[in-house]
Amino acid sequence: MADVLFPVYNNFFIGAYQACVNEAAEMTNLSGADAIERDCYMYRAYIALGSYQMVIDEITDESATSLQAIKLLATHASRAHEREDCVARVTELLADSALANNPWLQLSAALMHAADDNIVEAMKCCHTGLSLELMGLMCHLLIKIDRPELAAKHLAAMQAADDDATLTQLATAWVNLANGGGKIQDAFYVYQELGDKYQWTSKLHNGSAVCQMAMGRYDDAEKDLVEAINKDSKDPDTLRNLAVCALHLGKPTTRFVNQLKTLTPRPAAIEQLEALEKAFEVANESYAAAPAEVEA
């Protein structure tokens, strides 16, 4: 990535989405590949801010293929009834040999598959990618399926490519957290360093809070999460982590769960919770309907 775009993509990676948009808006003198790269990050930041329709409206059929991929990503995230069509379309584009190595197509396809919990297909999209973000996503996916030792190998490739990159530092924190033990403290220091070096965002506060919870420091984690919720009151990660933290502190979780239920798109945590509640109700009804055993 061009150094001129550092303020744009770096703000995106640490979760400073409005700052990413603002920086992109000031770079009016870019053209060609740099302009497309700038716009891809800018529109992804808008997606993270929930401005899906604006992204869909502004990216036209005449836009570059990379931007078309971002439009599909916005559509997939905001229109449940079009999710299958979006995956089919990005798969069709990747089947074109002239487009197969487009990193934005690969990334968009991987993110869609990951959002649909289709981890194997998501990893296939990352596997041949050479961009730092695709390697970082591969680390994240491997950790998600509890393979931190494989994630560490991909992290080594990221470190060889750019050891100082913010995304490499974040991936280092993910792998360290997944490995547990003394590595959790190292992960915590990564988030502290990034927050102090750039700016504290909801994303960085959440990373710090998860490390604190993993070390059993729930009071400190709660302080981080309060800072995060003050920056973004509708962030699903913050609300979910607040619920977990409150549970361990013996505090009510209802408010956080109810707030999660109001969000659009619906967070996966709520779908999982409701599935568990339904399964419990079915089991409870079956137990109640079963004839009582007669004591001898």
Side-chain angles (χ1 to χ4, degrees):
M1 289 178 282
D3 287 341
V4 69
L5 292 173
F6 177 81
V8 176
Y9 63 73
N10 194 66
N11 277 313
F12 179 83
F13 291 145
I14 65 172
Y17 301 118
Q18 189 57 57
C20 171
V21 169
N22 295 343
E23 290 286 354
E26 291 181 6
M27 296 183 180
T28 57
N29 59 336
L30 300 182
S31 60
D34 285 347
I36 292 172
E37 194 92 352
R38 173 203 63 198
D39 290 348
C40 283
Y41 279 110
M42 179 187 70
Y43 284 122
R44 284 182 68 199
Y46 274 123
I47 291 172
L49 291 169
S51 300
Y52 307 106
Q53 193 57 50
M54 191 205 72
V55 175
I56 293 169
D57 290 341
E58 289 196 5
I59 298 177
T60 67
D61 293 341
E62 289 72 38
S63 299
T65 300
S66 297
L67 288 167
Q68 295 291 339
I70 304 305
K71 182 175 183 176
L72 288 170
L73 195 59
T75 305
H76 182 273
S78 60
R79 300 177 181 178
H81 62 287
E82 294 185 36
R83 298 185 86 163
E84 289 186 10
D85 291 340
C86 290
V87 172
R89 177 56 181 155
V90 78
T91 301
E92 178 186 348
L93 289 170
L94 283 171
D96 185 335
S97 58
L99 302 174
N101 293 322
N102 183 305
W104 288 104
L105 277 176
Q106 292 171 323
L107 180 65
S108 296
L111 290 171
M112 287 184 218
H113 285 305
D116 291 339
D117 208 26
N118 195 345
I119 305 302
V120 173
E121 289 301 318
M123 288 194 292
K124 286 180 182 177
C125 294
C126 296
H127 185 65
T128 57
L130 298 176
S131 77
L132 206 62
E133 191 168 5
L134 280 167
M135 289 190 279
L137 180 55
M138 190 68 164
C139 285
H140 173 76
L141 293 170
L142 287 166
I143 291 169
K144 189 171 183 177
I145 62 171
D146 199 24
R147 295 301 303 271
E149 76 286 359
L150 295 180
K153 292 181 180 180
H154 285 271
L155 173 60
M158 294 179 70
Q159 291 169 333
D162 192 344
D163 190 32
D164 294 327
T166 295
L167 194 55
T168 303
Q169 295 304 307
L170 287 169
T172 301
W174 304 337
V175 173
N176 283 339
L177 184 58
N179 283 323
K183 292 291 185 180
I184 299 173
Q185 186 73 49
D186 294 337
F188 173 72
Y189 288 144
V190 170
Y191 289 110
Q192 294 294 308
E193 182 179 348
L194 290 175
D196 293 342
K197 184 177 182 179
Y198 299 114
Q199 65 169 297
W200 278 98
T201 62
S202 177
K203 182 176 181 177
L204 295 180
H205 276 301
N206 270 277
S208 175
V210 170
C211 293
Q212 301 265 35
M213 285 192 281
M215 292 185 287
R217 304 198 303 232
Y218 294 101
D219 286 323
D220 291 330
E222 186 179 45
K223 292 176 184 176
D224 256 319
L225 294 170
V226 169
E227 292 291 336
I229 204 70
N230 287 336
K231 294 179 181 296
D232 185 355
S233 62
K234 295 182 179 180
D235 179 56
D237 289 337
T238 306
L239 292 168
R240 182 173 64 249
N241 286 330
L242 275 167
V244 172
C245 197
L247 188 66
H248 282 276
L249 291 172
K251 297 180 179 181
T253 62
T254 306
R255 176 162 59 93
F256 305 126
V257 173
N258 287 341
Q259 283 180 278
L260 279 167
K261 289 180 178 180
T262 66
L263 299 182
T264 303
R266 284 171 64 78
I270 290 302
E271 293 182 355
Q272 294 167 358
L273 177 62
E274 291 180 346
L276 289 171
E277 289 174 343
K278 186 176 181 179
F280 177 81
E281 289 174 4
V282 170
N284 190 44
E285 290 173 1
S286 298
Y287 179 79
E293 292 184 6
V294 178
E295 294 184 4

